[in-house]
Amino acid sequence: LTDSDRIRRSREMALVTNVCEYEELAKQKLPKMVYDFYAAGAEDQWTLRENSEAFSRILFQPRVLVDVSCIDMSTSILGYNISMPIMIAPTALHKLAHPEGRFIWNAGELATARAAAAAKTIMTLSSWSSCSIEEVNLAGPGIRFFQLSIYKDRNLVQQLIQRAEKAGYKAIVLTVDAPWLGRREADVKNRFTLPRNVMLKTFEGLDQGKIDKTNGSGLAAYVASQIDRSFSWKDIKWLQTVTSLPVLVKGIITAQDTRIAIECGVAGIIMSNHGGRQLDYLPATISCLEEVVREANGRVPVFIDSGFRRGTDVFKALALGASGVFIGRPVLFSLAVDGEAGVRNALRMLRDELEITMALSGCTSVKEITRGHVVTESDRI
Ligand code: FNR
């Protein structure tokens, strides 16, 4: 870094007081095509906006004069102890945010994985990652889940699962809300293409027939065209026969689908509207959480993502029955601004915010956060 780079960076860092500010800084730093790819929602982006606005309709009902001198935020997810109920959602192509260059040993998902491990939390690796399953594992110890999409070529799916199992990933996160890719108009306008130095590394080494591997976009287009749009509930059984890992389904927002997923024997539900990137005019996940939790009725844990930007948002989800929260874009934007240190800082800020929210609500552990600590719109009717 030059001296002026250093001064600019320390000024920027001094100013970052919450994760949303990373988005502004990332917007200044990233090429427009990359920023738009990360930030955009589908079509009118109504769901994208609603994902943050819905939190402002849930208010707190704190308890005072509780001894809050010591706050324990640790929790257990599928039997793994983590430091806080905030985890990293699978997002594609971290090298677009943090390319190799001088960060070759710590580029893209490697930096994210190390930041997650330092925060003692779980990272979910996207199957559209720019570092391979094995490379991320070599980033060091850490609890990791592997996100799976289903391809027409079931051998490819099986190979991905086997590689994830061999590399020590602890669960399969099956994404169920993206059999077709949502229409993000910014990407269409920008004619989004992968730069030459960023590849879908998860697929490296697999037999992909005659695709243009000299160009990352050739591979991306190939992989997208290979998604099996016919995959349905009956095929979950097949998935369970080819892996011994627990399967979480990501992308459910209704009680009906929760019921079917539990009947199929999934290990957990991740409520998601894909951060507003798939079907527009879906409600915010936080607005549907209670319904899904009621249906799950403690049989499997319910996790949630989409729009979480504050410790207060996380507290609200825990109060409404979620077992943990995943975050997507804040990771990408903090990674873009300051690499591993940025993601560590983003996780630290969310953790600190959750800690103070718990303290000021009179909760000293995650278990003490109850439905009575929040008031929703339906309570006020
Ligand atoms: C995603 N998401 C996603 N989900 C998934 O299952 N596989 C993937 O490869 C990706 N890729 C991806 C890329 C980008 C740029 C974004 C923003 C999101 C969805 C992701 O896991 C998560 O559901 C949302 O990001 C959560 O919303 P927030 O936290 O970004 O608002």
Side-chain angles (χ1 to χ4, degrees):
L1 293 182
T2 64
D3 280 353
S4 66
D5 277 347
R6 263 196 211 96
I7 293 165
R8 190 167 40 81
R9 207 186 104 174
S10 61
R11 278 205 195 117
E12 281 174 3
M13 290 309 107
L15 290 176
V16 175
T17 51
N18 63 62
V19 299
C20 289
E21 290 171 0
Y22 275 120
E23 174 159 0
E24 274 312 304
L25 295 171
K27 189 173 184 178
Q28 291 162 28
K29 187 168 174 181
L30 290 171
K32 180 174 167 25
M33 186 188 75
V34 173
Y35 170 77
D36 285 352
F37 169 68
Y38 284 164
E43 299 183 358
D44 294 334
Q45 308 194 103
W46 185 88
T47 298
L48 181 69
R49 290 188 295 279
E50 175 66 4
N51 278 347
S52 19
E53 281 164 19
F55 288 110
S56 65
R57 299 193 292 268
I58 303 173
L59 305 177
F60 289 126
Q61 211 161 232
R63 302 301 311 275
V64 295
L65 290 182
V66 176
D67 175 355
V68 288
S69 51
C70 195
I71 308 290
D72 175 11
M73 279 185 285
S74 64
T75 191
S76 169
I77 306 288
L78 303 182
Y80 298 99
N81 294 327
I82 55 173
S83 70
M84 58 179 176
I86 304 171
M87 298 163 278
I88 297 188
T91 51
L93 299 164
H94 290 201
K95 279 190 189 170
L96 289 176
H98 192 53
E100 275 179 3
R102 59 179 185 270
F103 309 111
I104 188 147
W105 55 275
N106 205 18
E109 287 83 358
L110 297 179
T112 312
R114 291 188 176 115
K120 296 197 176 55
T121 192
I122 294 166
M123 168 186 177
T124 314
L125 183 72
S126 161
S127 37
W128 285 50
S129 62
S130 48
C131 296
S132 73
I133 294 173
E134 294 79 9
E135 278 172 329
V136 172
N137 188 40
L138 292 177
I143 305 163
R144 296 182 191 113
F145 294 168
F146 180 68
Q147 179 265 319
L148 187 71
S149 304
I150 301 290
Y151 301 100
K152 291 172 194 158
D153 177 353
R154 293 294 165 84
N155 284 332
L156 174 77
V157 177
Q158 266 180 269
Q159 284 177 58
L160 289 171
I161 293 172
Q162 279 160 11
R163 286 169 61 195
E165 286 180 349
K166 198 161 160 228
Y169 288 68
K170 305 295 186 210
I172 298 293
V173 171
L174 177 71
T175 297
V176 295
D177 59 0
W180 293 54
L181 286 192
R183 203 171 151 79
R184 301 144 206 166
E185 293 178 1
D187 293 347
V188 179
K189 281 202 176 68
N190 293 333
R191 296 194 171 81
F192 178 80
T193 44
L194 287 184
R196 273 186 186 279
N197 58 342
V198 178
M199 300 286 284
L200 287 174
K201 284 294 264 306
T202 314
F203 297 89
E204 203 179 51
L206 296 174
D207 179 15
Q208 295 152 12
K210 285 189 187 133
I211 51 167
D212 178 6
K213 288 181 195 154
T214 57
N215 170 338
S217 296
L219 183 53
Y222 170 81
V223 171
S225 74
Q226 291 307 303
I227 290 178
D228 183 353
R229 293 174 169 173
S230 73
F231 191 86
S232 62
W233 287 116
K234 64 183 182 339
D235 302 309
I236 300 268
K237 282 273 164 293
W238 168 81
L239 182 61
Q240 288 161 332
T241 62
V242 296
T243 183
S244 53
L245 293 176
V247 175
L248 304 173
V249 279
K250 169 176 180 282
I252 282 182
I253 61 160
T254 64
Q256 293 94 312
D257 281 342
T258 303
R259 181 176 51 76
I260 304 174
I262 294 172
E263 280 166 11
C264 288
V266 304
I269 308 280
I270 304 180
M271 291 186 69
S272 177
N273 59 34
H274 222 99
R277 293 164 75 78
Q278 285 295 106
L279 180 60
D280 201 13
Y281 295 94
L282 282 181
T285 49
I286 191 79
S287 309
C288 317
L289 174 58
E290 275 202 284
E291 192 181 317
V292 166
V293 166
R294 205 174 300 124
E295 180 64 44
N297 196 20
R299 289 175 290 172
V300 298
V302 175
F303 306 104
I304 185 166
D305 76 21
S306 297
F308 288 79
R309 300 291 180 268
R310 285 283 192 187
T312 51
D313 300 341
V314 176
F315 184 100
K316 289 170 186 178
L318 298 174
L320 295 173
S323 298
V325 164
F326 287 84
I327 53 165
R329 293 183 185 83
V331 171
L332 294 169
F333 294 135
S334 55
L335 181 69
V337 173
D338 205 17
E340 181 188 332
V343 181
R344 280 182 187 229
N345 194 39
L347 291 170
R348 192 180 313 119
M349 288 188 298
L350 287 169
R351 185 195 154 83
D352 290 350
E353 287 175 2
L354 177 61
E355 185 176 41
I356 195 164
T357 308
M358 287 172 66
L360 296 180
S361 298
C363 301
T364 61
S365 71
V366 170
K367 282 206 180 72
E368 285 178 16
I369 303 173
T370 65
R371 179 64 179 81
H373 287 98
V374 293
V375 190
T376 64
E377 280 194 314
S378 57
D379 298 332
R380 292 194 290 267
I381 290 169

